[in-house]
Amino acid sequence: MTLNTLQHSINAHRALLSDLLGTALSDYAGRILPHIGESERLDECVRRVFGTLDYCKYVYVLDANGVQISSTANRYGVDAESRGRDRSERPYMRHIKDASVEFNLSEAYISRNKKRPSVTAIQTIRDEQGQRVGFLGVDYDLRELPHSEVIYEEPSQWRQIKGDPAIRSGLFAQQRVESVMDRHMDTVMSVHEALVLDQGVHHFQVHFSSSRTTIWHRDDPYVYRLLSNEELIDPNICLAYPRRPYFERAIVPKVDVGKVLHQFKALRFADETIYLRSASLNIVNGKVGLNFSCDGTHYLGYDEFLSKGLDFWFGADDFPQAVVPAEPLDKPQLDHVVEEIAGTGCMKVNKVLYALEKGDTPARLEAFTPEERDYIYHELKSVMDVYDGGVCSI
């Protein structure tokens, strides 16, 4: 099982691209070596390489210091003006101080000229004694490279995102003002339930403070529709949409849609200072989104959302909207823990990361607070970036 995170999905695809591009460039580097000091012959070589490589935008040769010694080959021919250009500080040459690197595929970056997402493959050129004498560089437009046909699947764990600090700092100076939607809450929630259960709506976002809702319909999922409060308090709105059976792709049980809406209402009215401003539900991925008056936003599964009572949100010690500053972390102690875990090897580190991403707490981290575990998690993720390609399966 591999870690299902965005970064690991990216790294896995980078590893595939490295395999695809590295083999070809290694062969071409050997052909370029005899002409490394001859400008005209070097231009012929880069033109020939460009003509045989798939997907590439530019091909050039650098000396051992990262200074370009050939013209740049492109689809229109060769550009001699780029000779003498120092590329040693560009993002794709960060490995230049490590003489042991044979091939490097850069992280994606925005190209200097075309302002396009790009990557650059750099192949080291060595002489007969194994000394590094230059580099073969090939630039690629990220859009034109082969891409994975499998769409990234977002992890299901609870995510909390802090909002505007200015709003948080003035939180206790504000108070909820009754909106038009607040005065018709029961009707509005009933209309939402009917739209989801019987009229084909699979995703909605309701804005309580501004009395409006955005909906997405299964028959036209690429277009969102805006409903004002005047429309939402009129049950006739259901006649504007075709009747549809409950969506077969939904993972939220029909009976729980009303429960989610009821919990939205409770969070809206539970407190006059910290209250729900907007909320969303997607019945296909089961995600609930919550945005509170402190501008804190939460994304979590519908089942986890329903399992939390109002005490969790507003009264318990682990109140997630709290704005009291946290105790400072003992980073030297936590760094020592990170080093110990990292020393157990790639596979065991990945198991710890995977458990934390699922919301589980590994036994060796049970004594730590959520904030300390979060610090350990992100430090371990940084450690894993050291591994070649960032890919290490469990």
Side-chain angles (χ1 to χ4, degrees), residues 179-301:
S179 69
V180 177
M181 183 177 285
D182 290 342
R183 295 196 291 270
H184 302 277
M185 185 64 73
D186 289 336
T187 298
V188 169
M189 293 294 97
S190 295
V191 168
H192 279 79
E193 185 174 11
L195 288 172
V196 172
L197 297 184
D198 303 314
Q199 310 300 148
V201 171
H202 71 277
H203 178 78
F204 68 82
Q205 183 172 31
V206 54
H207 302 264
F208 297 105
S209 298
S210 56
S211 302
R212 57 189 169 86
T213 288
T214 308
I215 63 171
W216 286 259
H217 195 278
R218 55 185 285 187
D219 290 359
D220 195 10
Y222 303 111
V223 175
Y224 68 80
R225 290 165 170 80
L226 184 64
L227 301 179
S228 67
N229 191 71
E230 289 74 16
E231 294 161 333
L232 289 168
I233 62 176
D234 182 1
N236 284 313
I237 187 65
C238 296
L239 299 176
Y241 299 96
R243 184 171 178 81
R244 292 287 182 266
Y246 192 58
F247 200 13
E248 64 274 6
R249 289 187 59 190
I251 66 172
V252 180
K254 292 177 65 174
V255 67
D256 284 341
V257 173
K259 294 177 182 179
V260 169
L261 290 165
H262 179 77
Q263 187 82 326
F264 286 171
K265 174 186 173 182
L267 291 174
R268 174 65 178 171
F269 293 131
D271 190 271
E272 292 302 303
T273 300
I274 302 173
Y275 51 86
L276 194 61
R277 291 197 309 186
S278 64
S280 63
L281 172 66
N282 186 307
I283 62 172
V284 177
N285 66 10
K287 284 291 183 67
V288 168
L290 308 167
N291 179 256
F292 288 88
S293 55
C294 61
D295 208 33
T297 302
H298 298 260
Y299 297 96
L300 66 161

